[in-house]
Amino acid sequence: MKRCKKCGEVKPIDEFYGAGGMKDGHRSECKTCHKSRQRQWYQANRVHAIAEVKRWQQQNKERLHAYRRAYRQRRKAEDRDAHLRRSFGITQADYEELLARQGGGCGICGRKPGKVSLHVDHDHATGEIRGLLCVGCNNALGQFHDDPGLLTLAADYVSCDMRPFVVELELVDVIRDRARALQDVSG
């Protein structure tokens, strides 16, 4: 226990910041009083404090960039997990389990994730997760508005033989060209 020199309250020692030069190894003011004093100083010297930070950043660009890169790398996994929890209600472990059940790739085409992770595909009406899709397959489903009927029509279109229809169109063009030629000759 220790008495704060600012507020006079007796508080547990862990309520005081450490200070090597003090007899007991802790500052004489409690954390609450110290934070209050720091906040007041910042409000009074805000412009100066911001200018000092910017000056330091300009003088130490490489050090600052290295720190930010390391920070982003450390936070990447945490940020990804937070995004999955917030958006879909699953954890990174749930995502990895779903990816393993799909054979490690897209639920439609089987493409393995590269630099970009697979998208969590879900029913927009119910929120139920259907699987993991690559960007292309996820966008394709979106373009077809998740409508099974449209997807079936698209599959039929892609799989049918369009050559007879194309030949018919070519014959129509030939017939039109001959008709125009006959009109030009007969005047």
Side-chain angles (χ1 to χ4, degrees):
M1 299 295 277
K2 182 174 179 163
R3 181 179 306 275
C4 174
K5 294 247 179 178
K6 289 284 185 189
C7 65
E9 292 181 35
V10 176
K11 298 182 177 182
I13 198 75
D14 64 339
E15 288 292 316
F16 295 83
Y17 287 114
M22 302 299 287
K23 190 170 28 172
D24 63 359
H26 292 84
R27 295 179 67 94
S28 60
E29 61 186 2
C30 66
K31 290 179 179 179
T32 306
C33 291
H34 178 74
K35 286 178 185 175
S36 174
R37 187 170 56 83
Q38 289 291 93
R39 199 173 298 119
Q40 288 172 355
W41 180 90
Y42 181 78
Q43 290 303 321
N45 300 290
R46 188 171 186 275
V47 173
H48 171 71
I50 292 172
E52 283 297 306
V53 168
K54 286 184 179 180
R55 183 187 57 75
W56 184 90
Q57 289 175 341
Q58 287 297 319
Q59 291 175 350
N60 299 284
K61 283 183 181 179
E62 288 303 316
R63 186 173 167 192
L64 179 65
H65 291 311
Y67 168 79
R68 286 180 176 168
R69 276 191 298 275
Y71 179 80
R72 279 193 304 272
Q73 194 63 33
R74 275 194 323 270
R75 290 293 312 235
K76 191 179 275 188
E78 294 171 23
D79 290 346
R80 175 72 175 154
D81 193 58
H83 164 71
L84 290 171
R85 285 177 189 271
R86 185 176 55 250
S87 301
F88 307 107
I90 64 172
T91 64
Q92 182 66 33
D94 297 333
Y95 177 93
E96 297 296 333
E97 180 184 328
L98 186 54
L99 183 61
R101 278 192 283 163
Q102 289 184 189
C106 173
I108 295 175
C109 70
R111 190 177 304 144
K112 306 288 185 216
K115 287 184 179 182
V116 177
S117 61
L118 297 177
H119 291 232
V120 178
D121 178 45
H122 63 286
D123 185 328
H124 290 267
T126 65
E128 184 180 341
I129 295 173
R130 294 186 285 221
L132 303 175
L133 300 177
C134 67
V135 174
C137 292
N138 191 49
N139 288 343
L141 285 182
Q143 293 297 318
F144 284 104
H145 310 290
D146 294 340
D147 184 344
L150 281 176
L151 290 166
T152 302
L153 289 172
D156 291 344
Y157 173 80
V158 168
S159 63
C160 81
D161 187 6
M162 297 298 289
R163 280 177 285 165
F165 181 69
V166 171
V167 169
E168 281 180 30
L169 288 177
E170 289 174 358
L171 285 175
V172 168
D173 288 340
V174 168
I175 292 168
R176 284 187 183 141
D177 289 342
R178 287 189 181 162
R180 283 190 196 114
L182 286 174
Q183 270 184 333
D184 291 341
V185 170
S186 63

